[in-house]
């Protein structure tokens, strides 16, 4: 896995940051309150409305089966946002544990962690994830777990560097002198003190995780029909392009792009503020 | 040098082991898995699969044989197409390599040009390039693909929508594949040039009356070349994996779309072969990039 | 006069100017020393001669090279000045050369790309210059990269490059500070020989007043961006008239000198230190209340000038 952090070299303007935050908040609220916002069901087929254009009834048009795109986007936001959240939870649980362990013990633990990381980095792009999906079968669960595993080394590497710096500080030694055990120091003091910069880093990774997951769904490895995951919506909307109907792909595509851009704008600013180092 | 090669071989060995061993991690009997997981398998067919993979041998022996076969070009038989996997790959590889080459030319030329422009011009141009590249890295390639197809393929009708073959057919896919890479390269170029510009020897060159254009070419850009070439190499190496999405989005027949089909049809021999090919190519190209470094930076020659 | 700096003031947004009304001159075949603590503005003067001003700085006064004002000349004339009239030698030879280009490239770049000489001619000239600065194997040297040479050898290369276009004026900005002592002596001797042979004017910048006094014809002492004393080297050394010069002489010991070492108290002023009167007042052993309001200006003393109120009295 290669993770290219999309850090811009300059701090984003506060205006962009506010816009991004407001947009994301709007998306989250709309997704949570979807049933209140729209009268349709996400998988209510209505062939009369097949490929309907933008209208007061269908705010963003409808797909081939006449399903309302606006509705599907809102419901799809649930999977499309919760998915990356879960995969980052898995990745950070693993990654923070391994990274802290490697930094704390050095020696062979460190060596093993970095060897495993090297092997995973030898798979370019999403290929490691693809291998796992190939073995364990398609589906959102596999995709999320596989991506979680794939992102773990990146987070482990980052945590290790932060932890190494943190371990050098005197307070750690003073706890050791007081006779506190290694595990207790790590869990009670080390990890909480690193939390800020790790969370900042996770925000930077969120956009990337969302893109990866959507890509898997687009390839058919992730979310399965009738889910309205955004990646899957693009996949299902593709045949309509040749009929001249662009909304079924452009609407979910734009949703992905806007959300990822927003996360990157926020991530860059957080990274700036918290001194998160890029990879 | 020897150590480096040994390291590369070790990485290749371990990754191929991971790819091979993955079939054992699958739930259920490896035979059914390797046979494509279909329900109505005849005992004869299963026996054939068992024999092909030497499933009755010890695990490491199986791996050795599989790897030996793979190295000599025998990648097994596809469960889906009933063809030699090697033939399937050979038929599709040229189109994929063509796509990668096309995209590589695009991103190298335009990525470096944009980066240089941003660094030299500064001000608004710089801000525009930075904003543009931030956006470009935030849009996944499959979305770019659908937008390009909608706009240039269907709405304007400038490019054929599906299928491959000619350079013309490959243009939209190549642009899609190149876009993210272009953003990364222009960032790296810009950053490296800004760093080089601050160095003393650039001022020395300026103090000797050298024209600004020559200072940029002979000193600033020349000094930035190391990181630029490295990044171009790494990005190109990763591009083979990128074809998985792009070929699928454009309906091109290449090894990327072959991999997707193989997975969706549980054709594990093909999956293994494509993965092995992509990973090997990636490792080899990244190694090559390291080996070229001394040509660009004489200071690196001492250590090799 | 080859070089004549008149009332040069350079401001870059600090609380005081980097340079304040600096005047100095260098004639043909003359070696003029410029001495001062770190941050006093020595390099800024040298760079101003090539119109390499700090970012966002404004300059007033004049910098005349062979009678033409560098600060107001056209870009084409400026390129010509940099290429063929004035050459600079820098403190750190290693960072003066592009690490990824050969020594030969460094030497011929100016001749080929700025002066438009044929490559072969430039190459022959490069070999000749390398021999002149005492490189043992010029043929090998032009094919080498900077990291393959020692600091002393690199400084010879830099000196050779400075001579490439037969300049009339050399600016040596702490040209030997980064070298070890024996190499320093060799390089100094080489510079002096070349300067004498070619009758070059040289502005020799150093923070070592003893060296300047031994090496130069005339010496300007710089403090906080102002010239505090300008005298012939011998007179300056024998009878310093500005307390700062005297302090500098007292704080660097000479072999066999019976006088005790007395470092100048306090620290060199930064750009954030503004002055109402004499800038040296906070550190001056002779300072009195009037010094805080006395506007320093050069006062005539034997052989030159000094900017101290006590000279007036
Ligand atoms: N580009 C710049 N922008 C703003 N201030 C600058 C710039 N360059 C130099 N200065 C300031 O100008 C002052 C004089 O610097 P200068 O390099 O001329 O000193 P110097 O006498 O050569 O010192 P040194 O012995 O360390 O070389 C310093 O205070 C420095 O901070
Ligand atoms: S003017 Fe006053 S403070 Fe300045 S050097 Fe002379 S005596 Fe010292
Ligand atoms: Mg200096």
């Amino acid at each position: 896995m290669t993770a290219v952090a999309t850090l811009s070299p300059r701090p984003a303007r506060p205006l962009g940051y506010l816009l991004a935050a407001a947009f994301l908040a709007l998306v989250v609220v709309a997704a949570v309150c979807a049933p209140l916002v729209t009268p349709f069901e996400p998988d209510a087929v209505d062939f009369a409305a097949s490929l309907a254009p933008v209208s007061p009834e269908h705010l963003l048009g409808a797909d081939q089966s006449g399903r309302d795109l606006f509705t599907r986007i809102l419901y799809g936001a649930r999977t499309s946002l919760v998915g990356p959240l879960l995969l980052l939870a898995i990745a950070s649980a693993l990654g923070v544990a391994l990274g802290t362990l490697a930094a704390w013990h050095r020696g062979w633990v460190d060596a093993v962690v970095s060897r495993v990381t090297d092997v995973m980095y030898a798979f370019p792009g999403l290929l490691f994830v693809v291998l796992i999906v190939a073995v364990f079968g398609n589906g959102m669960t596999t995709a999320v777990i596989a991506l979680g595993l794939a992102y773990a080394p990146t987070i482990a590497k980052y945590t290790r560097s932060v932890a190494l710096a943190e371990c050098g500080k005197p307070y750690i030694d003073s706890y050791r002198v007081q006779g506190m055990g290694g595990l207790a120091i790590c869990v009670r003091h080390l990890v909480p003190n690193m939390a800020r910069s790790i969370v900042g880093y996770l925000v930077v990774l969120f956009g990337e995780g969302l893109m990866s997951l959507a890509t898997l769904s687009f390839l058919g490895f992730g979310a399965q029909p009738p889910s309205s995951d955004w990646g899957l919506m693009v996949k299902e909307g593709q045949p309509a392009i040749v009929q001249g109907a662009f909304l079924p792909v452009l609407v979910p595509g734009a949703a992905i792009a806007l959300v990822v851009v927003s996360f990157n704008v926020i991530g860059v600013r957080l990274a700036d503020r918290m001194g998160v180092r890029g990879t | 040098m020897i150590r480096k090669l040994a390291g590369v071989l070790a990485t290749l060995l371990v990754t191929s082991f991971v790819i091979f061993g993955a079939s054992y991690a699958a739930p259920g009997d490896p035979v059914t898995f390797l046979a494509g997981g279909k329900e109505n398998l005849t005992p004869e067919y299963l026996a054939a699969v068992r024999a092909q993979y030497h499933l009755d041998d010890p695990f490491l022996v199986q791996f050795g044989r599989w790897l030996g076969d793979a190295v000599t070009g025998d990648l097994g038989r596809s469960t889906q197409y009933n063809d030699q996997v090697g033939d399937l790959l050979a038929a599709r590889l040229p189109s994929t390599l063509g796509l990668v080459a096309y995209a590589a030319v695009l991103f190298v030329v335009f990525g470096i040009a944009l980066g240089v422009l941003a660094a030299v011009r500064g001000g608004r141009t710089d801000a525009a390039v930075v904003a543009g590249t931030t956006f470009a890295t935030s849009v996944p390639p499959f979305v770019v693909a659908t937008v390009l197809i909608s706009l240039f393929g269907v709405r304007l009708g400038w490019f054929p929508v599906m299928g491959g073959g000619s350079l013309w057919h490959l243009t939209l896919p190549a642009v899609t594949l190149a876009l993210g890479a272009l953003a990364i390269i222009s960032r790296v170029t810009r950053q490296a040039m800004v760093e080089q510009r601050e160095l003393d020897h650039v001022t020395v060159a300026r103090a000797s009356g050298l024209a600004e254009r020559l200072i940029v070419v002979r000193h600033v850009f020349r000094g930035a070349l190391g990181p630029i070439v490295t990044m171009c190499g790494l990005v190109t190496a990763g591009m083979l994996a990128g074809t998985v999405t792009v070929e699928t989005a454009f309906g091109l027949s290449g090894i990327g779309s072959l991999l997707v089909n193989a997975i969706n049809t549980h054709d594990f021999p093909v999956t293994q072969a494509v993965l092995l090919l992509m990973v090997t190519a990636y490792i080899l190209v990244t190694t090559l990039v390291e080996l070229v470094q001394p040509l660009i930076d004489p200071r690196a020659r001492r250590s090799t | 006069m080859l070089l004549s700096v008149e009332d040069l003031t350079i401001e870059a947004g600090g609380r005081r100017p980097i340079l304040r009304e600096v005047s100095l001159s260098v004639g043909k075949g003359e070696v003029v020393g410029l001495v001062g603590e770190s941050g006093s503005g020595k390099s800024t003067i040298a760079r101003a001669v090539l119109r390499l001003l700090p970012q966002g700085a404004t300059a007033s006064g004049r910098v005349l090279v062979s009678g033409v004002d560098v600060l107001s000349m056209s870009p084409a004339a400026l390129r010509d000045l940099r290429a063929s009239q004035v050459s600079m030698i820098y403190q750190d030879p290693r960072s003066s050369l592009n690490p990824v280009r050969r020594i030969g490239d460094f030497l011929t770049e100016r001749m080929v790309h700025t002066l438009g000489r044929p490559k072969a001619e430039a190459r022959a000239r490069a070999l000749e210059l390398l021999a002149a600065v005492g490189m043992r194997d010029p043929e090998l040297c032009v094919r080498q990269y900077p990291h393959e040479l020692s600091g002393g050898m690199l400084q010879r290369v830099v000196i050779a490059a400075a001579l490439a276009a037969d300049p009339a004026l050399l600016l040596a900005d702490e040209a030997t500070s980064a070298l070890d002592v024996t190499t320093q002596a060799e390089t100094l001797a080489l510079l002096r020989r070349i300067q004498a042979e070619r009758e070059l004017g040289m502005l020799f910048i150093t923070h070592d007043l003893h060296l300047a006094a031994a090496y130069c014809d005339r010496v300007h002492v710089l403090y906080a961006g102002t010239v505090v004393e300008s005298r012939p080297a011998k007179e300056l050394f024998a009878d310093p008239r500005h307390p700062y010069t005297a302090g500098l002489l007292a704080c660097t010991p000479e072999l066999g000198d019976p006088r005790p070492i007395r470092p100048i108290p306090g620290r060199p002023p930064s750009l954030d230190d503004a002055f109402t009167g004499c800038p040296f007042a906070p550190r001056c052993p002779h300072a009195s209340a009037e010094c805080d309001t006395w506007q320093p200006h050069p006062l005539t003393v034997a052989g030159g000038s000094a900017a101290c109120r006590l000279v007036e009295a």
Side-chain angles (χ1 to χ4, degrees):
Chain A
M1 275 297 303
T2 42
V4 177
T6 43
L7 282 176
S8 122
R10 259 195 229 164
R13 296 229 176 78
L15 179 67
Y17 169 75
L18 289 179
L19 272 179
F23 175 72
L24 285 182
L26 193 74
V27 170
V28 170
V29 169
V32 172
C33 313
L36 305 177
V37 180
T38 162
F40 296 100
E41 287 294 318
D43 42 9
V45 174
D46 171 15
F47 285 106
S50 178
L51 296 181
V54 171
S55 66
E57 190 189 3
H58 294 289
L59 288 176
L60 294 172
D63 68 4
Q64 295 101 311
S65 322
R67 296 178 290 190
D68 181 59
L69 283 173
F70 180 63
T71 310
R72 286 179 69 71
I73 283 293
L74 289 189
Y75 282 91
R78 296 178 175 182
T79 45
S80 298
L81 295 177
V82 171
L85 209 61
L86 286 179
L87 85 85
L88 283 184
I90 295 172
S92 49
L94 267 176
V96 170
L98 286 179
T100 314
L101 202 67
W104 187 257
H105 278 287
R106 319 268 176 88
W108 67 270
V109 182
D110 198 4
V112 167
V113 170
S114 79
R115 281 295 88 75
V116 171
T117 309
D118 282 350
V119 171
M120 287 173 95
Y121 277 131
F123 287 81
L126 291 173
L127 288 193
F128 184 80
V129 179
V130 165
L131 177 65
I132 297 182
V133 169
V135 171
F136 291 95
N138 305 356
M140 200 59 169
T141 320
T142 325
V144 166
I145 293 176
L147 273 174
L149 289 180
Y151 275 59
T154 311
I155 296 179
K157 222 172 152 184
Y158 180 76
T159 308
R160 179 180 174 279
S161 70
V162 177
L164 276 182
E166 199 71 24
C167 280
K169 294 187 183 164
Y171 78 92
I172 296 286
D173 272 337
S174 77
Y175 283 127
R176 242 195 271 233
V177 172
Q178 287 169 29
M180 198 184 255
L183 184 69
I185 299 179
C186 285
V187 173
R188 301 247 299 273
H189 301 283
L190 191 54
V191 172
N193 283 338
M194 299 188 302
R196 266 171 68 90
S197 51
I198 291 176
V199 167
Y201 189 60
L202 288 180
V203 174
V204 177
L205 280 183
F206 192 97
E208 212 178 292
L210 195 153
M211 286 207 286
S212 302
L213 198 56
T215 304
L216 287 180
S217 294
F218 172 78
L219 294 174
F221 302 158
Q224 302 294 324
S227 163
S228 59
D229 180 89
W230 294 344
L232 184 64
M233 282 177 71
V234 175
K235 175 187 163 76
E236 292 182 331
Q238 259 202 319
I241 294 180
V242 281
Q243 301 173 37
F246 305 140
L247 286 176
V249 294
L250 290 192
V251 169
I256 295 171
L258 287 176
V259 170
V260 175
V261 169
S262 305
F263 266 104
N264 285 347
V265 168
I266 294 176
V268 166
R269 191 175 152 91
L270 281 186
D272 243 45
R273 276 245 205 103
M274 304 189 181
V276 176
R277 280 153 286 179
T279 40
Chain B
M1 193 68 194
I2 304 276
R3 277 189 60 189
K4 186 169 281 176
L5 281 183
V8 170
L9 280 181
T11 317
L12 278 174
L13 202 66
V14 175
T15 44
S16 54
F17 182 79
V18 170
I19 293 173
F20 173 79
S23 58
Y24 281 83
D29 188 349
V31 184
T32 22
F33 180 73
L34 288 170
K38 292 170 200 136
E39 309 300 318
N40 49 349
L41 293 166
T42 61
E44 292 81 41
Y45 184 63
L46 285 185
V49 171
R50 213 170 252 288
Q52 188 197 334
Y53 282 86
H54 311 284
L55 285 182
D56 298 320
D57 289 344
F59 182 69
L60 280 178
V61 175
Q62 292 173 33
F63 172 57
R65 282 181 196 251
W66 176 78
L67 194 61
D69 286 349
V71 169
T72 52
D74 177 7
L75 295 161
R77 197 167 266 283
S78 156
T79 59
Q80 182 69 19
Y81 299 91
N82 217 6
D83 262 329
Q84 282 295 321
V85 175
D87 296 342
L88 284 175
L89 286 186
R92 285 169 172 76
L93 198 54
S95 114
T96 300
L97 288 183
L99 175 61
V100 169
Y102 194 170
V105 169
L106 288 180
F107 88 76
V108 168
V109 171
F110 290 104
I112 293 180
L114 276 182
V116 170
L117 202 69
V120 172
R121 284 274 188 82
R124 282 225 188 125
T125 317
D126 188 25
V129 169
V130 169
T133 53
T134 309
F135 186 71
T137 49
S138 303
V139 185
F142 72 92
V143 173
V144 175
T146 51
V147 171
L148 291 183
I149 297 174
S150 308
L151 184 62
F152 296 104
V154 176
R155 173 54 59 89
L156 298 171
W158 292 352
F159 294 92
V161 176
M162 292 278 159
S166 70
L167 209 58
W168 204 233
H169 279 90
L170 283 182
T171 299
L172 290 186
V175 169
T176 310
L177 194 54
L179 199 65
L182 190 153
I184 293 174
I185 294 304
S186 63
R187 284 276 181 78
V188 169
T189 305
R190 173 188 175 280
Q191 190 58 32
M193 293 212 19
V194 167
E195 276 164 23
Q196 287 290 320
R197 195 165 56 189
E198 304 301 323
L199 296 182
D200 285 349
H201 69 79
V202 174
T203 315
V204 172
R206 189 169 290 128
S208 76
L210 201 63
E212 203 58 30
R213 186 179 54 81
L214 287 172
I215 289 177
V216 170
V217 175
R218 292 177 58 88
H219 295 285
V220 182
F221 184 68
R222 179 62 184 78
L225 207 54
I228 295 176
V229 169
T230 303
M231 208 58 195
C232 284
L234 292 183
V235 168
T236 311
M239 235 169 208
L240 216 47
T243 61
V244 172
T245 322
V246 174
E247 287 182 354
T248 306
F250 284 92
L252 294 174
S253 158
I255 60 167
S257 51
L258 181 66
L259 176 63
V260 176
N261 285 332
I263 291 174
N264 285 333
T265 55
H266 305 286
D267 191 347
F268 202 65
V270 172
T271 307
Q272 276 181 327
V274 176
L275 284 178
L276 194 62
L277 180 74
M278 287 182 168
V279 170
T280 308
Y282 181 71
I283 294 174
L284 290 184
V285 174
T286 46
T287 311
L288 203 67
V289 169
E290 274 180 52
L291 293 182
V292 199
Q293 249 336 278
L295 291 182
I296 300 165
D297 190 340
R299 284 166 298 179
R301 272 173 223 170
R302 264 191 301 194
S303 48
T304 45
Chain C
M1 272 294 147
L2 192 53
L3 169 69
S4 143
V5 176
E6 296 171 3
D7 291 329
L8 178 64
T9 299
I10 293 184
E11 278 181 276
R15 293 186 57 192
R16 65 171 169 87
I18 298 178
L19 297 178
R20 211 193 107 233
E21 291 171 11
V22 169
S23 295
L24 55 84
S25 59
V26 181
K28 189 169 187 269
E30 192 183 22
V31 180
V32 173
L34 192 52
V35 183
E37 284 166 311
S38 189
S40 55
K42 306 182 295 291
S43 301
T44 308
I45 294 180
R47 293 162 60 90
V49 175
L50 291 166
R51 203 161 106 192
L52 291 165
L53 303 176
Q55 198 98 77
T58 52
S60 64
R62 297 200 298 170
V63 178
L64 305 173
V65 174
S66 306
V68 187
D69 186 9
V70 175
L71 296 181
S72 60
M73 65 178 28
S74 72
L78 179 65
R79 256 206 311 284
D80 178 66
L81 171 102
R82 289 175 177 178
S84 57
Q85 297 179 43
V86 183
S87 278
M88 183 128 135
I89 300 163
Y90 305 82
Q91 170 168 358
D92 181 5
R94 204 163 289 286
S95 68
S96 306
L97 270 74
N98 188 337
V100 300
R101 287 195 172 274
R102 293 174 199 275
I103 303 289
D105 265 345
F106 176 67
L107 287 166
T108 56
E109 180 169 71
R110 186 195 306 221
M111 294 187 263
V112 173
H113 290 278
T114 313
L115 300 171
R117 308 238 184 101
K119 276 212 173 86
E121 187 193 316
R123 201 184 129 80
R125 174 101 172 112
L127 294 174
E128 190 185 301
L129 287 168
L130 284 176
V133 296
M135 296 295 286
R136 240 169 274 129
D137 189 351
E139 288 281 355
L140 170 68
C141 181
V142 290
R143 276 179 281 118
Q144 282 177 308
Y145 286 97
H147 71 263
E148 296 172 284
L149 297 183
S150 69
M153 290 297 127
L154 278 183
Q155 195 61 301
R156 284 167 191 260
V157 169
V158 171
I159 293 171
L163 300 174
D166 276 320
L169 177 65
L170 272 188
L171 308 170
D173 187 357
E174 309 203 29
T176 59
S177 304
L179 308 177
D180 63 69
V181 184
T182 40
T183 329
Q184 241 177 39
E186 284 172 21
T187 312
L188 286 171
L190 170 71
L191 262 182
R192 190 77 213 213
R193 176 169 62 77
I194 284 171
Q195 179 270 332
E197 273 172 16
R198 300 173 191 237
E199 290 209 315
L200 303 178
M202 176 150 82
L203 186 64
F204 184 83
I205 298 179
T206 174
H207 47 247
D208 182 346
L209 185 53
H210 290 279
L211 173 62
Y215 198 78
C216 306
D217 304 322
R218 279 185 300 117
V219 174
H220 298 277
V221 180
L222 205 63
Y223 185 80
T226 55
V227 176
V228 292
E229 185 161 2
S230 308
R231 311 266 302 284
K234 288 194 184 59
E235 294 172 31
L236 181 90
F237 190 67
D239 172 30
R241 296 300 300 274
H242 194 281
Y244 176 61
T245 317
L248 276 183
L249 281 172
C251 74
T252 43
E254 277 281 86
L255 215 57
D257 192 334
R259 285 174 294 179
I261 303 170
R262 280 169 286 127
I264 304 176
R267 54 171 183 84
S270 78
L271 282 187
D272 288 330
D273 298 313
F275 307 102
T276 50
C278 173
F280 190 53
R283 302 168 73 188
C284 180
H286 310 293
S288 55
E290 292 98 277
C291 296
D292 283 329
T293 51
W294 184 76
Q295 286 304 314
H297 49 270
L299 299 165
T300 313
V301 295
S305 65
C308 172
R309 201 176 54 82
L310 296 184
V311 175
E312 206 170 36

